[in-house]
Amino acid sequence: MAEPLFEKVAIIGIGLIGSSIARGLRRGGLSSTIVIADRDEHARERAAALGLGDLVLADSGEAAQGADLVIVCTPVGVCGTVAAEVGPHLKPGAILSDVGSVKGAIIRSMGPHVASSVHFVPAHPIAGTEDSGPDAGFAELFDGRWTILTPGPDADEAAVEAVRALWEGLGAKVDVMTPEHHDLVFAIVSHVPHLIAYNIVGTAADLEDVTQSEVIKYSASGFRDFTRIAASDPTMWRDVFLNNRDAVLQMLGRFVEDLTALQRAIRWGEGDKLFELFTRTRAIRRDIIEQGQDTAAPDFGRRGSTKGS
Amino acid sequence: MAEPLFEKVAIIGIGLIGSSIARGLRRGGLSSTIVIADRDEHARERAAALGLGDLVLADSGEAAQGADLVIVCTPVGVCGTVAAEVGPHLKPGAILSDVGSVKGAIIRSMGPHVASSVHFVPAHPIAGTEDSGPDAGFAELFDGRWTILTPGPDADEAAVEAVRALWEGLGAKVDVMTPEHHDLVFAIVSHVPHLIAYNIVGTAADLEDVTQSEVIKYSASGFRDFTRIAASDPTMWRDVFLNNRDAVLQMLGRFVEDLTALQRAIRWGEGDKLFELFTRTRAIRRDIIEQGQDTAAPDFGRRGSTKGS
C-alpha cells in the first residue's frame, strides 16, 4: 500500500457522509490516524462500535488538534459554529475542508474563523443516499462520483492538490468551480428537485378526496420515485434551502414559469407542445445513462419486494 | 396446469403493457389462443419474432373476431378509434377491456361502440417501466402490483369476475372503484408526478447559466431520479394529460399552492415550516416500503455503472 496522504485526519460529524469518508480513508490507507468528533452521544457510540476511527471524541476542537486535515461533515447550518470551535486549535499549515451542499454560505460562515496560517478548501461530494447516520455510510459511496472543490482565488495550490488527492483516493472524480456557479448548478440539479419531491409528497398527504392509504397503495405509478428523495435528512435539507436561498428561488421561478406553460397547454388541449417536451426529456435520460451517471436497468433495476415492478 | 380462463384472447397494441400481458397469459396458461393486432409493422415483426402470440395481424377487427376477451392496449387517445374498429366484430357475450391510465375519458370514447350484447370492463394495471415497445415487456411486470377495474353500475357480474381472474392470473391484486375516483387518485399519484418530472427536466435543459453537460454530469445529486419518469413514452403521456384534464388541473393547482407556501418559507427563512414538512414526508416513504410498494434498499438499490452511488 502507498504512503498515507495524511498523518492525521479529523472528521467532525459522523453521519452518512462523514462515516463514508472514514471508511474510505481506511480502505485506501489514506491516513495514519483518523479522529472523529460528534456532539451526539448515540452517533459517537455507533462510530466507536463500528470502529470508524482511532479516537472518537465529543469535542471538535480537541479532535482538530494536530490534524493535517479537518473535514467538517455536519449539516450546513452549524458549519460556522464548528469552524469557530475548531479554528483556534488548527496547527499552521493544516487544511480545513467541508462537504456541504451549499458553498457560498459555507464560505461566509466558516471563512472568518480560519486563520491565515490555515488552508481552507471547501468541497462538495455529489453522493449520498436517503439514509442518515454512521451506520448508513459505506466506503464505496464516492466511487465514480464527482466531488466539486471551490477554493478561493488566493488558495494555496498544494493544499488544493492535497484535497484533490484525498477525493481521488476515496474513488471520486474532482472538478473545480467558483462557489457562485456551484450554488446555481446545484440549485437546479439537486435543491429544486428535492424541494418539489418534498412538496408533491406533502400535497398528496393532505388531500381530502384521496386517502393517504390510496396514495401509498398505488404509489408505484410514479409517486414512489419522489418519496425516496423526500425521505432525505430533514435537518440537512432545511439548512440547504435556508443557505442557498437566492439561487433556489431563481431556479424555482423558472420551474414554475415552465410548469404554468404546461398547465396552459393541458387546459387548451395543445398536445403538440406536450409531445415536444416529452420527447426532448427522453434524450437527456439517455445522456445520463451513457455518461454512467445512472443505471440503464428499467425502473432503476428495483428488486426485492417490488420484483418486476 | 389449470383449465385456461379463456379460449381466445385478442390483444390490440403490442407495446410494453400488451406484450407483458401476452407473456403473462402464456406463463399462466390463461388462454388457449392469443391473437395480437398492431397497426405498426415493426411492432408486428417484433411480436412475431418474439413468439408473443399464435397469430399477429394488422387489423384489429379481424383479431377480435370470435375472441372471448379483447384487451385494448393502445395509447388512450386512440382507444375510441380501436373500439369503433373492434366493436362490430365482437361476438355476443364477449368481454371488451383496456389498460388505459385514464378511465372516464376511455369510457366516454369506447362506450358508444360497445353493443349491449358485449360486456365492457375497463381496467388499469398499475405497472410499467420507462421503456416502450414489444421487447420491453416481461411476464412478471404485474406480479404483486395492483390493477383497478372501473365497471359501470350495470356491469355483468360474471364478466367483472372473469377480468378479475385474468389479472389475478397475471399476478396482480385487484381493486374496484368508480372511474371518477380513479381519475382523481391517479392525477395525484401518477399524472402530476410525471408532469413535474417532465417539467423539471425541461427547465434544466433550457437554462442559460448552467450548461446541459453540467446538468448531466452532476445529476446524481437528485435530478437523475426525475429523468427516469421523464423518459416515459411521449404519446402515452400526451394522451393521459389531454384525457384527464380536469383532475390533473385540480391536483396541479394544489401542488402549486403548496409549492408557493414553501417558496415563501424559504424567502422568509422559516426553517421550522420546512423541517416540519421534511419530517412528515419521511414517514410516507416508510409506509410505502412497509406495504411492499418499493424497495427498502438505499438509492433504489441501484447497481451497475452507478455502483455505490
Side-chain angles (χ1 to χ4, degrees):
Chain A
M1 192 160 287
E3 190 81 356
L5 293 170
F6 302 95
E7 269 305 304
K8 180 179 170 183
V9 173
I11 298 171
I12 317 297
I14 195 73
L16 168 68
I17 300 296
S19 74
S20 294
I21 292 174
R23 290 173 171 99
L25 289 173
R26 289 253 198 253
R27 180 186 69 169
L30 305 176
S31 181
S32 307
T33 305
I34 300 170
V35 181
I36 289 164
D38 201 297
R39 63 181 184 182
D40 180 72
E41 192 182 341
H42 178 68
R44 289 199 301 277
E45 280 172 16
R46 291 305 306 151
L50 294 162
L52 297 179
D54 301 291
L55 199 59
V56 181
L57 302 167
D59 189 277
S60 54
E62 196 182 336
Q65 268 165 25
D68 305 290
L69 169 66
V70 176
I71 315 177
V72 179
C73 304
T74 63
V76 168
V78 293
C79 283
T81 308
V82 172
E85 289 165 10
V86 159
H89 300 276
L90 292 172
K91 69 177 184 189
I95 300 172
L96 179 65
S97 190
D98 76 306
V99 297
S101 308
V102 166
K103 297 268 66 87
I106 287 270
I107 290 167
R108 286 191 295 276
S109 66
M110 291 180 72
H113 304 290
V114 183
S116 60
S117 62
V118 168
H119 307 299
F120 182 32
V121 184
H124 176 203
I126 315 309
T129 75
E130 65 275 30
D131 293 342
S132 319
D135 286 278
F138 49 99
E140 300 77 22
L141 180 61
F142 310 110
D143 284 349
R145 304 259 65 88
W146 289 96
T147 291
I148 316 252
L149 310 184
T150 62
D154 305 322
D156 180 76
E157 219 168 285
V160 175
E161 285 314 303
V163 176
R164 177 191 289 273
L166 166 79
W167 283 103
E168 289 177 350
L170 291 169
K173 297 175 284 187
V174 174
D175 263 349
V176 173
M177 60 177 75
T178 66
E180 296 74 24
H181 189 62
H182 169 281
D183 287 356
L184 210 54
V185 170
F186 285 88
I188 189 67
V189 299
S190 179
H191 307 169
V192 168
H194 275 76
L195 193 72
I196 63 181
Y198 279 122
N199 191 65
I200 184 82
V201 177
T203 301
D206 290 344
L207 295 171
E208 304 82 25
D209 304 332
V210 177
T211 68
Q212 194 159 317
S213 86
E214 286 174 318
V215 168
I216 289 163
K217 209 167 161 184
Y218 307 128
S219 59
S221 52
F223 182 74
R224 64 175 177 170
D225 277 30
F226 295 75
T227 63
R228 185 188 81 79
I229 276 188
S232 301
D233 187 65
T235 304
M236 171 190 161
W237 282 97
R238 177 199 62 199
D239 287 0
V240 165
F241 294 115
L242 296 179
N243 286 283
N244 197 23
R245 191 184 64 176
D246 293 347
V248 166
L249 291 178
Q250 177 187 333
M251 292 302 175
L252 195 53
R254 291 290 290 254
F255 172 81
V256 171
E257 187 177 309
D258 291 343
L259 189 61
T260 304
L262 275 187
Q263 187 173 12
R264 194 170 187 283
I266 293 171
R267 191 178 301 280
W268 292 97
E270 297 169 338
D272 290 354
K273 285 191 187 164
L274 300 177
F275 188 81
E276 185 273 329
L277 172 68
F278 299 174
T279 308
R280 274 204 299 140
T281 51
R282 215 168 202 192
I284 291 174
R285 174 77 184 162
R286 202 166 47 230
D287 287 349
I288 286 175
I289 289 168
E290 274 170 13
Q291 295 195 21
Q293 293 300 315
D294 207 345
T295 172
D299 234 339
F300 301 122
R302 279 180 172 110
R303 288 291 176 277
S305 61
T306 57
K307 193 184 163 200
S309 74
Chain B
M1 194 160 283
E3 189 80 357
L5 294 170
F6 302 96
E7 269 306 304
K8 179 179 171 184
V9 173
I11 298 171
I12 316 298
I14 196 72
L16 168 68
I17 300 296
S19 74
S20 294
I21 293 174
R23 290 171 170 100
L25 289 172
R26 287 254 198 254
R27 180 186 70 169
L30 305 176
S31 181
S32 306
T33 305
I34 300 169
V35 181
I36 289 165
D38 201 297
R39 62 180 185 182
D40 179 73
E41 191 181 343
H42 178 69
R44 288 198 302 276
E45 280 171 16
R46 292 303 307 151
L50 293 162
L52 296 178
D54 301 291
L55 199 60
V56 180
L57 302 168
D59 189 277
S60 54
E62 194 182 339
Q65 267 164 25
D68 306 290
L69 170 66
V70 176
I71 315 176
V72 179
C73 304
T74 62
V76 168
V78 293
C79 282
T81 308
V82 172
E85 290 165 10
V86 159
H89 300 274
L90 292 172
K91 69 177 184 187
I95 300 171
L96 179 66
S97 190
D98 77 307
V99 297
S101 306
V102 165
K103 297 270 68 89
I106 286 271
I107 291 167
R108 286 191 295 277
S109 67
M110 292 180 71
H113 305 288
V114 183
S116 60
S117 61
V118 168
H119 307 298
F120 181 32
V121 184
H124 175 204
I126 315 308
T129 76
E130 65 274 30
D131 293 343
S132 319
D135 286 278
F138 48 99
E140 301 78 21
L141 180 62
F142 310 110
D143 283 349
R145 305 258 64 89
W146 288 97
T147 292
I148 315 243
L149 310 184
T150 62
D154 304 324
D156 180 75
E157 218 166 286
V160 175
E161 285 314 304
V163 176
R164 177 191 290 272
L166 164 80
W167 283 103
E168 290 176 349
L170 292 170
K173 298 175 284 188
V174 174
D175 263 349
V176 173
M177 58 176 76
T178 66
E180 295 74 24
H181 189 62
H182 169 280
D183 287 354
L184 210 53
V185 169
F186 286 88
I188 189 68
V189 300
S190 179
H191 308 169
V192 168
H194 275 76
L195 193 72
I196 62 181
Y198 279 121
N199 191 65
I200 184 83
V201 176
T203 301
D206 289 344
L207 294 172
E208 304 83 24
D209 304 331
V210 177
T211 68
Q212 195 158 315
S213 86
E214 286 174 319
V215 168
I216 289 164
K217 209 167 161 184
Y218 307 129
S219 61
S221 52
F223 183 74
R224 64 175 176 169
D225 278 31
F226 294 76
T227 62
R228 185 188 81 78
I229 277 188
S232 301
D233 188 66
T235 305
M236 170 187 162
W237 282 97
R238 177 199 62 197
D239 286 1
V240 166
F241 294 115
L242 296 180
N243 286 284
N244 197 22
R245 190 184 66 175
D246 293 347
V248 166
L249 292 177
Q250 177 185 333
M251 291 301 175
L252 194 55
R254 289 291 290 253
F255 172 81
V256 170
E257 186 177 310
D258 291 344
L259 189 62
T260 305
L262 275 187
Q263 187 175 10
R264 195 171 186 280
I266 292 171
R267 192 179 300 282
W268 292 96
E270 297 170 338
D272 290 355
K273 284 192 189 164
L274 301 176
F275 188 82
E276 186 273 329
L277 172 67
F278 299 173
T279 308
R280 271 203 301 140
T281 50
R282 217 170 199 190
I284 291 173
R285 175 76 185 163
R286 202 166 47 230
D287 287 349
I288 286 175
I289 290 168
E290 275 171 14
Q291 294 196 22
Q293 293 300 316
D294 206 345
T295 171
D299 235 337
F300 300 123
R302 280 180 172 109
R303 288 290 176 276
S305 61
T306 58
K307 192 183 165 200
S309 72

